[in-house]
């Protein structure tokens, strides 16, 4: 080897080492930017989920899985069977119809299975069967097939912002306005023009595209970001829900791994470092609802194994985080997408952009915007919304959808958007946070005064129930609440969604019933507590049960 060759050889070697050190550093930064929970590690959580064995408790263990003494187990048993008798009498027809339909509707089978931690499922299903049918709605209530009227805390997955009667009116009036056209798709009904104008005003963005669901709107926003930046990866934050499309749901629940998604730690400096240093990031997806529980997944009672659920909304801190994200995205030409499918039109008329004082490049809306009908919308900057390149005619960003811009949806949406322009709507949004914060504080004060180990946390009208003392039975509260005439969605106390037409009297009735339900649950011994019972010991017990089951099978 002559001197020059040797030099070149060392040069290449040094460059290779430098490259791998840089790659390693980036890899390390990425690891540091993940939230330490399992939800922060999508691949690992999918892998581990495959090892969780099914096992369940017989009736004895069901009442004493926290090693409560027999006297407490007996109180629980009595309470449980009293509740069971009440359910079977009061909801007889609704339960009957649900059971019959469940065999044929796979969604019902799923939601029915995931109402409580799986160890308790069999006994609960036998004695507290689901009643998943309703026949009418009015004011802030829904009525089941047995004629029981309950206060609606489901919010129809967040769609119901203005009250069911408003949407009934919007759907009816809207249908009348487009009846002449009927189901014609392809060409538009002229109503779309006003919708577009109003959406541009509200979002402060240049263009609009219409889709059939929030999931599809998010798909399109991400696809556009990838197309225009020519980069591969999307960044989402740990726990955030953006619909059920694979790339935004990379962990448990998606059978296929997502290869081009980074799931990062919310509100963290390490995440900003990744955005500053990686060159393959097309967009950052924000679901502002995460402000209530950064890095936490959508809270569901089926994962309420202990009392570890926590939530706290700090508006200033989250606004500050969004501002910092905005600055990094601007600097790095990363598309900032606000997914306002849930919170848009709920927390403020101008949505999360107005509420937090931060502008996004693309915004997705859905749910309530359809005026009661299915919808997904993307609003964005002109340069990002364009689906073809003037100088490369074959390089397009394809997006269709048979039912997009359906005349009936456009008409109901028009009713919704026009209503938002009225002084009446202004009045609804005025003082919204004060109203809901006060209501939450009042309820919490009553619960605390009675030493009930429950409290609520809220982001405006979106609430979650937290538990202040270690217990394995918090998920039972959903059944006591239903017995008091409060209608909850299948995720139980994880999410209570109020429509904004709740009057003080309506809310007072809900608060009274909530307290009565929690008292009954306390009376029945479910919140029995001993110093040995901590969230840690609960989790350890469950882990041991799982390992035993995995190693030795059913015994
Ligand atoms: C923030 C967010 N994005 C997207 C979606 C998906 O919307 P859809 O259920 O209409 O597909 C949801 C639904 O809950 C959502 O909350």
């Amino acid at each position: 080897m002559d001197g020059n060759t040797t030099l070149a050889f060392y040069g290449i070697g040094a460059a290779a080492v430098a490259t791998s050190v840089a790659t390693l550093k980036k890899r390390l930064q990425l690891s540091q930017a993940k939230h330490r929970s399992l939800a922060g590690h999508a691949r690992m959580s999918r892998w581990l989920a495959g090892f969780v064995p099914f096992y369940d408790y017989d009736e004895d263990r069901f009442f004493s899985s926290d090693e409560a003494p027999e006297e407490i187990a007996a109180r629980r048993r009595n309470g449980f069977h009293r509740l069971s008798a009440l359910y079977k009498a009061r909801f007889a027809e609704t339960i009957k119809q649900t059971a019959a339909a469940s065999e044929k509707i796979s969604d019902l089978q799923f939601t029915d299975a995931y109402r409580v931690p799986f160890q308790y499922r069999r006994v609960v299903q036998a004695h507290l069967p689901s009643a998943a049918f309703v026949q009418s709605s009015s004011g802030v209530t829904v009525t089941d097939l047995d004629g029981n009227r309950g206060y609606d805390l489901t919010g129809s997955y967040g769609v119901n912002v203005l009250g069911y009667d408003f949407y009934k009116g919007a759907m009816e009036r809207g249908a009348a306005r487009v009846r002449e056209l009927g189901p014609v798709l392809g060409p538009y009904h002229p109503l779309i023009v006003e919708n577009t104008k109003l959406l541009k005003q509200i979002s402060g963005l240049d263009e609009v595209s219409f889709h059939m669901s929030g999931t599809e709107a998010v798909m399109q926003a991400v696809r556009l970001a990838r197309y225009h930046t020519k980069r591969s990866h999307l960044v989402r934050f740990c726990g955030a829900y953006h619909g059920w499309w694979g790339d935004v749901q990379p962990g448990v629940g998606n059978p296929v791994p997502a290869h081009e998604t980074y799931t990062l730690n919310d509100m963290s400096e390490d995440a900003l470092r990744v955005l500053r240093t990686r060159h393959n990031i097309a967009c950052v997806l924000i679901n502002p609802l995460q402000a209530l529980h950064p890095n936490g997944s959508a809270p569901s009672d089926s994962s309420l194994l202990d009392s570890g659920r926590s939530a706290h909304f700090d508006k200033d801190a989250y606004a500050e985080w969004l501002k910092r994200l905005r600055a990094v995205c601007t600097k790095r030409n990363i598309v900032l997408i606000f997914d306002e499918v849930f919170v848009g039109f709920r927390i403020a008329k101008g949505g999360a952009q107005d509420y937090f004082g931060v502008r996004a490049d693309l915004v997705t809306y859905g749910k309530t915007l359809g005026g009661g009908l299915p919808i997904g919308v993307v609003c964005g900057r002109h340069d990002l919304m364009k689906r073809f390149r003037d100088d490369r005619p074959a390089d397009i960003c394809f997006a269709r959808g048979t039912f997009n811009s359906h005349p009936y949806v456009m008409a109901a949406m028009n009713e919704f958007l026009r209503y938002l322009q009225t002084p009446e709507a202004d009045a609804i949004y005025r003082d919204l946070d004060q109203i809901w914060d006060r209501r939450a504080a009042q309820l919490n004060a009553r619960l605390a005064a009675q030493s009930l180990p429950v409290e609520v946390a809220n982001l405006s009208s979106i609430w979650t129930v937290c538990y202040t003392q270690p217990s394995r039975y918090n998920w039972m509260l959903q059944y006591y609440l239903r017995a008091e005439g409060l209608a909850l969605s299948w995720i139980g106390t994880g999410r209570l969604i109020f429509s904004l037409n709740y009057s003080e009297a309506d809310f007072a009735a809900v608060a009274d019933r909530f307290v009565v339900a929690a008292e009954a649950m306390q009376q029945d011994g479910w919140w029995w507590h001993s110093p040995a019972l901590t969230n840690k010991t609960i989790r350890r017990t469950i882990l041991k049960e799982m390992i035993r089951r995995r190693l030795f099978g059913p015994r």
Side-chain angles (χ1 to χ4, degrees), residues 213-215 241-243 287 339 341-342 367:
S213 67
T215 300
Y241 184 67
H242 295 285
N287 176 355
D339 177 359
V341 168
F342 197 112
K367 295 197 191 268

Side-chain angles (χ1 to χ4, degrees), residues 149 180 258 314 360 368 394 397 433 485 489 503 537 548:
R149 199 201 275 217
E180 287 289 291
D314 181 339
T368 193
C397 182
D433 278 6
S489 69
S503 66
T537 58
R548 206 176 307 130

